[in-house]
Amino acid sequence: MTSRSRPAIRRPATVFLAVAMIGATALTACSTPEKSGSSGEAKDVPGVTRTSVKIGTHTPLTGPASAGYAPISKAAAAYFAYLNAKGGVNGRKIDYVVKDDGYNPATTSTVVRELVQQDQVFAIVNGLGTPTHAAVVDYLNQQKVPDLFVASGASLWNQPEKSPQTFGFNLDYVREGKILAHYLQEKNPDATFCVLRQDDDFGKDLTTGITQVLGKVTAEQKYAVSNESLTAQIGALQQAGCTVNLLGTVTPFTALALGTAAKMGYRAQWAASSSGGDYPSLVGYLGEDVGPKLLEGLVAANYLPFDADDDWVKLFRQINTEYNADAPFTGNTIYGMSMAYTFAEALGRAGQNPTREGIVEALQSGSVKSNGITPAAFSATNHDPFGGAGITVVSKGVQAYLDGQVFTTDAQAGPVEAYTGPAVALTGEGIPGK
């Protein structure tokens, strides 16, 4: 595999983004019939005009999580600019409003209400974070606002009866934990397995998946996102003799864990969730001088196109150069653009005159496949997108998928099985319906 770039992450200063409405060539309509209410006037639908669809998101543009995750919304904005330059979706351009919540649930509640009540967005798209989005999921469902592609793999987003408007985007953490544990157990059957995790539904769900496969772990340490040190937790793992540590950590805390272990002279195999295992982002925290050495051998799960020679990755690099000022290209870039593509696909499936009801019905129809290494499997009874993930390993500064190490499983006690089907292929220059 060819190497991915590893520049340091830049901290954005903006708290609001809007994608300019440019271009003139409209997409042709997708083949899915228009949904209930889609024949009404566009002015009757919040956020929808005859020429645009306004959507919004909350994300940490400032605060401790910003360096790890602020690039996602910039990447999504770049894809939408590319899409708009090609004519948008069924002739409508995407107006993308991004508001900073600092990864603070109280602020999330405030900015999401602003997006719904003042900005009159059509949908909330890719709100980021388990503790943050949990603060608004009930509100969005009560207001019947489509709550699409939450940037978290918590099981909270896959409750169609309780939260019919809400759909996840990340591989759910239970599945991810099962897949990571399955691979590591096969590779290291005699290891002493332990967990370091965030003290919320993210860490809890990942650990549930891990223990479904391993039965139990020798030690489990927790941290809060307000923590400034992991010395006590890493010391406890070292004292327990842990040789393989599975991390339910967001990117800043993955870096802090590995940096702390290095200072303590503690060596172990580290394995990260996709939410905290992106190599270029981690190097941005750890620094080019020590990051590559500390990250050598890092195992992580992923479910999106990733390798440098993948057609999706090549397209996203091109978009990043042209529409994102050639910002550092990381897994967050791929994530943001993949999510934005998936929204465009769903919007196209909602018909010529989209409604809130119509886009939910389009997702529940199963016609939206996204661009993962396994196709999305949304349905009326399943609001999680992906059923599987691949295993990546860092080797000599390159993070790439291991051949033959793609697995599927469920979010319950079902087996982890090898996946041999195809990934979703790039078509139509990454423009849905083209």
Side-chain angles (χ1 to χ4, degrees):
M1 302 292 180
T2 55
S3 176
R4 302 171 65 207
S5 59
R6 296 185 279 102
I9 304 300
R10 296 199 291 263
R11 293 179 180 267
T14 57
V15 299
F16 179 89
L17 296 173
V19 175
M21 292 159 48
I22 55 177
T25 306
L27 281 177
T28 59
C30 296
S31 59
T32 301
E34 291 183 2
K35 305 300 176 183
S36 174
S38 63
S39 60
E41 292 294 323
K43 66 182 180 181
D44 297 330
V45 182
V48 179
T49 72
R50 294 191 181 280
T51 59
S52 67
V53 176
K54 182 188 291 187
I55 60 176
T57 196
H58 65 87
T59 197
L61 299 177
T62 58
S66 62
Y69 300 112
I72 290 173
S73 57
K74 284 185 169 290
Y79 174 84
F80 287 137
Y82 168 77
L83 177 72
N84 290 346
K86 301 288 186 178
V89 179
N90 291 327
R92 291 183 175 88
K93 316 304 186 295
I94 308 301
D95 182 6
Y96 179 50
V97 182
V98 180
K99 295 201 174 185
D100 180 22
D101 67 3
Y103 207 68
N104 182 317
T107 307
T108 305
S109 294
T110 298
V111 300
V112 166
R113 281 166 173 77
E114 289 175 358
L115 288 165
V116 172
Q117 298 168 13
Q118 298 176 23
D119 296 301
Q120 291 283 297
V121 296
F122 172 70
I124 298 296
V125 180
N126 205 224
L128 190 143
T130 300
T132 47
H133 200 75
V136 296
V137 64
D138 289 343
Y139 167 75
L140 292 172
N141 279 272
Q142 290 163 3
Q143 298 298 312
K144 299 189 185 307
V145 177
D147 179 21
L148 308 181
F149 314 138
V150 182
S152 157
S155 58
L156 291 169
W157 327 131
N158 189 20
Q159 300 183 41
E161 293 186 4
K162 179 183 177 183
S163 304
Q165 303 292 323
T166 301
F167 296 79
F169 189 71
N170 298 31
L171 176 68
D172 79 79
Y173 297 132
V174 175
R175 282 187 175 96
E176 193 170 56
K178 289 172 68 176
I179 289 168
L180 277 170
H182 172 83
Y183 168 77
L184 291 163
Q185 186 179 52
E186 291 287 311
K187 185 175 176 62
N188 307 282
D190 299 323
T192 301
F193 293 95
C194 300
V195 169
L196 171 67
R197 71 169 180 89
Q198 199 159 294
D199 63 348
D200 58 13
D201 285 328
F202 162 36
K204 180 180 177 182
D205 285 354
L206 191 81
T207 304
T208 295
I210 290 167
T211 55
Q212 281 180 359
V213 171
L214 299 178
K216 64 178 181 179
V217 293
T218 298
E220 178 182 340
Q221 289 293 310
K222 305 174 187 178
Y223 71 90
V225 294
S226 58
N227 281 34
E228 296 183 358
S229 170
L230 291 178
T231 300
Q233 291 88 340
I234 298 300
L237 295 176
Q238 184 179 29
Q239 184 66 29
C242 305
T243 58
V244 176
N245 293 317
L246 294 98
L247 302 175
T249 52
V250 293
T251 307
F253 286 91
T254 303
L256 183 59
L258 270 65
T260 301
K263 289 179 180 178
M264 297 173 66
Y266 172 36
R267 294 186 178 183
Q269 170 71 69
W270 302 90
S273 159
S274 59
S275 295
D278 179 56
Y279 177 74
S281 299
L282 289 166
V283 171
Y285 277 100
L286 293 166
E288 292 280 353
D289 52 343
V290 300
K293 181 179 179 180
L294 296 185
L295 294 166
E296 183 71 12
L298 176 71
V299 172
N302 206 331
Y303 48 92
L304 293 172
F306 188 81
D307 291 338
D309 58 356
D310 184 277
D311 288 340
W312 286 102
V313 174
K314 291 177 182 177
L315 172 66
F316 292 159
R317 280 189 180 277
Q318 174 188 330
I319 294 171
N320 190 61
T321 297
E322 188 170 354
Y323 294 97
N324 199 24
D326 204 21
F329 191 86
T330 70
N332 284 332
T333 313
I334 295 169
Y335 178 95
M337 293 189 187
S338 296
M339 180 283 303
Y341 166 83
T342 307
F343 172 75
E345 184 184 2
L347 186 64
R349 296 287 183 186
Q352 288 281 359
N353 293 301
T355 64
R356 285 173 164 177
E357 296 84 357
I359 198 166
V360 169
E361 290 175 16
L363 284 163
Q364 292 188 150
S365 74
S367 61
V368 175
K369 298 303 180 185
S370 191
N371 68 329
I373 61 171
T374 65
F378 291 118
S379 72
T381 58
N382 177 53
H383 285 196
D384 279 336
F386 305 109
I391 298 296
T392 70
V393 175
V394 175
S395 176
K396 298 180 180 178
V398 178
Q399 186 176 36
Y401 280 120
L402 293 178
D403 290 340
Q405 300 297 321
V406 180
F407 304 96
T408 59
T409 189
D410 61 16
Q412 289 77 44
V416 177
E417 299 177 321
Y419 175 74
T420 57
V424 180
L426 173 69
T427 59
E429 299 179 303
I431 305 294
K434 184 171 179 180

PDB file of all heavy atoms in Angstrom, residues 336-349:
ATOM      1  N   GLY A 336     -15.875  12.564   6.951  1.00  0.00           N
ATOM      2  CA  GLY A 336     -16.763  13.686   6.668  1.00  0.00           C
ATOM      3  C   GLY A 336     -17.319  13.647   5.261  1.00  0.00           C
ATOM      4  O   GLY A 336     -18.514  13.905   5.033  1.00  0.00           O
ATOM      5  N   MET A 337     -16.490  13.313   4.290  1.00  0.00           N
ATOM      6  CA  MET A 337     -16.954  13.264   2.905  1.00  0.00           C
ATOM      7  C   MET A 337     -17.851  12.053   2.667  1.00  0.00           C
ATOM      8  O   MET A 337     -18.822  12.139   1.899  1.00  0.00           O
ATOM      9  CB  MET A 337     -15.760  13.269   1.953  1.00  0.00           C
ATOM     10  CG  MET A 337     -14.994  14.574   1.966  1.00  0.00           C
ATOM     11  SD  MET A 337     -13.747  14.667   0.654  1.00  0.00           S
ATOM     12  CE  MET A 337     -12.915  16.192   1.109  1.00  0.00           C
ATOM     13  N   SER A 338     -17.553  10.937   3.307  1.00  0.00           N
ATOM     14  CA  SER A 338     -18.401   9.749   3.173  1.00  0.00           C
ATOM     15  C   SER A 338     -19.788  10.020   3.722  1.00  0.00           C
ATOM     16  O   SER A 338     -20.805   9.651   3.123  1.00  0.00           O
ATOM     17  CB  SER A 338     -17.764   8.566   3.909  1.00  0.00           C
ATOM     18  OG  SER A 338     -16.531   8.205   3.334  1.00  0.00           O
ATOM     19  N   MET A 339     -19.848  10.664   4.882  1.00  0.00           N
ATOM     20  CA  MET A 339     -21.138  11.002   5.468  1.00  0.00           C
ATOM     21  C   MET A 339     -21.915  11.946   4.562  1.00  0.00           C
ATOM     22  O   MET A 339     -23.122  11.770   4.330  1.00  0.00           O
ATOM     23  CB  MET A 339     -20.916  11.627   6.854  1.00  0.00           C
ATOM     24  CG  MET A 339     -22.179  12.039   7.584  1.00  0.00           C
ATOM     25  SD  MET A 339     -22.954  13.590   7.012  1.00  0.00           S
ATOM     26  CE  MET A 339     -21.593  14.759   7.215  1.00  0.00           C
ATOM     27  N   ALA A 340     -21.216  12.955   4.025  1.00  0.00           N
ATOM     28  CA  ALA A 340     -21.886  13.926   3.164  1.00  0.00           C
ATOM     29  C   ALA A 340     -22.413  13.256   1.898  1.00  0.00           C
ATOM     30  O   ALA A 340     -23.519  13.558   1.433  1.00  0.00           O
ATOM     31  CB  ALA A 340     -20.920  15.056   2.814  1.00  0.00           C
ATOM     32  N   TYR A 341     -21.635  12.355   1.329  1.00  0.00           N
ATOM     33  CA  TYR A 341     -22.106  11.580   0.169  1.00  0.00           C
ATOM     34  C   TYR A 341     -23.362  10.796   0.537  1.00  0.00           C
ATOM     35  O   TYR A 341     -24.329  10.752  -0.243  1.00  0.00           O
ATOM     36  CB  TYR A 341     -21.016  10.627  -0.310  1.00  0.00           C
ATOM     37  CG  TYR A 341     -21.538   9.577  -1.265  1.00  0.00           C
ATOM     38  CD1 TYR A 341     -21.683   9.863  -2.616  1.00  0.00           C
ATOM     39  CD2 TYR A 341     -21.936   8.322  -0.812  1.00  0.00           C
ATOM     40  CE1 TYR A 341     -22.210   8.919  -3.492  1.00  0.00           C
ATOM     41  CE2 TYR A 341     -22.462   7.378  -1.669  1.00  0.00           C
ATOM     42  CZ  TYR A 341     -22.587   7.682  -3.005  1.00  0.00           C
ATOM     43  OH  TYR A 341     -23.131   6.738  -3.865  1.00  0.00           O
ATOM     44  N   THR A 342     -23.373  10.179   1.708  1.00  0.00           N
ATOM     45  CA  THR A 342     -24.520   9.368   2.120  1.00  0.00           C
ATOM     46  C   THR A 342     -25.766  10.232   2.287  1.00  0.00           C
ATOM     47  O   THR A 342     -26.874   9.818   1.928  1.00  0.00           O
ATOM     48  CB  THR A 342     -24.197   8.614   3.416  1.00  0.00           C
ATOM     49  OG1 THR A 342     -22.978   7.882   3.241  1.00  0.00           O
ATOM     50  CG2 THR A 342     -25.300   7.643   3.782  1.00  0.00           C
ATOM     51  N   PHE A 343     -25.603  11.448   2.828  1.00  0.00           N
ATOM     52  CA  PHE A 343     -26.758  12.343   2.910  1.00  0.00           C
ATOM     53  C   PHE A 343     -27.271  12.682   1.511  1.00  0.00           C
ATOM     54  O   PHE A 343     -28.490  12.683   1.275  1.00  0.00           O
ATOM     55  CB  PHE A 343     -26.418  13.636   3.655  1.00  0.00           C
ATOM     56  CG  PHE A 343     -27.547  14.624   3.579  1.00  0.00           C
ATOM     57  CD1 PHE A 343     -28.687  14.447   4.345  1.00  0.00           C
ATOM     58  CD2 PHE A 343     -27.495  15.709   2.707  1.00  0.00           C
ATOM     59  CE1 PHE A 343     -29.754  15.330   4.245  1.00  0.00           C
ATOM     60  CE2 PHE A 343     -28.556  16.593   2.600  1.00  0.00           C
ATOM     61  CZ  PHE A 343     -29.689  16.404   3.377  1.00  0.00           C
ATOM     62  N   ALA A 344     -26.371  12.988   0.584  1.00  0.00           N
ATOM     63  CA  ALA A 344     -26.797  13.302  -0.779  1.00  0.00           C
ATOM     64  C   ALA A 344     -27.534  12.125  -1.407  1.00  0.00           C
ATOM     65  O   ALA A 344     -28.540  12.305  -2.106  1.00  0.00           O
ATOM     66  CB  ALA A 344     -25.584  13.692  -1.623  1.00  0.00           C
ATOM     67  N   GLU A 345     -27.042  10.917  -1.144  1.00  0.00           N
ATOM     68  CA  GLU A 345     -27.705   9.729  -1.664  1.00  0.00           C
ATOM     69  C   GLU A 345     -29.122   9.610  -1.093  1.00  0.00           C
ATOM     70  O   GLU A 345     -30.090   9.354  -1.828  1.00  0.00           O
ATOM     71  CB  GLU A 345     -26.884   8.484  -1.322  1.00  0.00           C
ATOM     72  CG  GLU A 345     -27.443   7.200  -1.910  1.00  0.00           C
ATOM     73  CD  GLU A 345     -26.674   5.958  -1.479  1.00  0.00           C
ATOM     74  OE1 GLU A 345     -25.710   6.087  -0.684  1.00  0.00           O
ATOM     75  OE2 GLU A 345     -27.049   4.862  -1.936  1.00  0.00           O
ATOM     76  N   ALA A 346     -29.251   9.811   0.213  1.00  0.00           N
ATOM     77  CA  ALA A 346     -30.571   9.716   0.843  1.00  0.00           C
ATOM     78  C   ALA A 346     -31.505  10.813   0.343  1.00  0.00           C
ATOM     79  O   ALA A 346     -32.701  10.565   0.096  1.00  0.00           O
ATOM     80  CB  ALA A 346     -30.420   9.798   2.360  1.00  0.00           C
ATOM     81  N   LEU A 347     -30.986  12.028   0.190  1.00  0.00           N
ATOM     82  CA  LEU A 347     -31.811  13.130  -0.299  1.00  0.00           C
ATOM     83  C   LEU A 347     -32.309  12.846  -1.709  1.00  0.00           C
ATOM     84  O   LEU A 347     -33.471  13.108  -2.038  1.00  0.00           O
ATOM     85  CB  LEU A 347     -31.022  14.441  -0.266  1.00  0.00           C
ATOM     86  CG  LEU A 347     -31.800  15.704  -0.622  1.00  0.00           C
ATOM     87  CD1 LEU A 347     -32.901  15.969   0.401  1.00  0.00           C
ATOM     88  CD2 LEU A 347     -30.844  16.904  -0.711  1.00  0.00           C
ATOM     89  N   GLY A 348     -31.448  12.303  -2.550  1.00  0.00           N
ATOM     90  CA  GLY A 348     -31.872  11.944  -3.895  1.00  0.00           C
ATOM     91  C   GLY A 348     -32.963  10.893  -3.885  1.00  0.00           C
ATOM     92  O   GLY A 348     -33.917  10.960  -4.673  1.00  0.00           O
ATOM     93  N   ARG A 349     -32.855   9.939  -2.974  1.00  0.00           N
ATOM     94  CA  ARG A 349     -33.857   8.883  -2.879  1.00  0.00           C
ATOM     95  C   ARG A 349     -35.193   9.395  -2.356  1.00  0.00           C
ATOM     96  O   ARG A 349     -36.215   8.724  -2.506  1.00  0.00           O
ATOM     97  CB  ARG A 349     -33.351   7.766  -1.972  1.00  0.00           C
ATOM     98  CG  ARG A 349     -32.114   7.034  -2.482  1.00  0.00           C
ATOM     99  CD  ARG A 349     -32.449   6.129  -3.630  1.00  0.00           C
ATOM    100  NE  ARG A 349     -31.277   5.384  -4.073  1.00  0.00           N
ATOM    101  CZ  ARG A 349     -31.254   4.593  -5.143  1.00  0.00           C
ATOM    102  NH1 ARG A 349     -32.351   4.455  -5.874  1.00  0.00           N
ATOM    103  NH2 ARG A 349     -30.169   3.938  -5.478  1.00  0.00           N
TER     104      ARG A 349
END
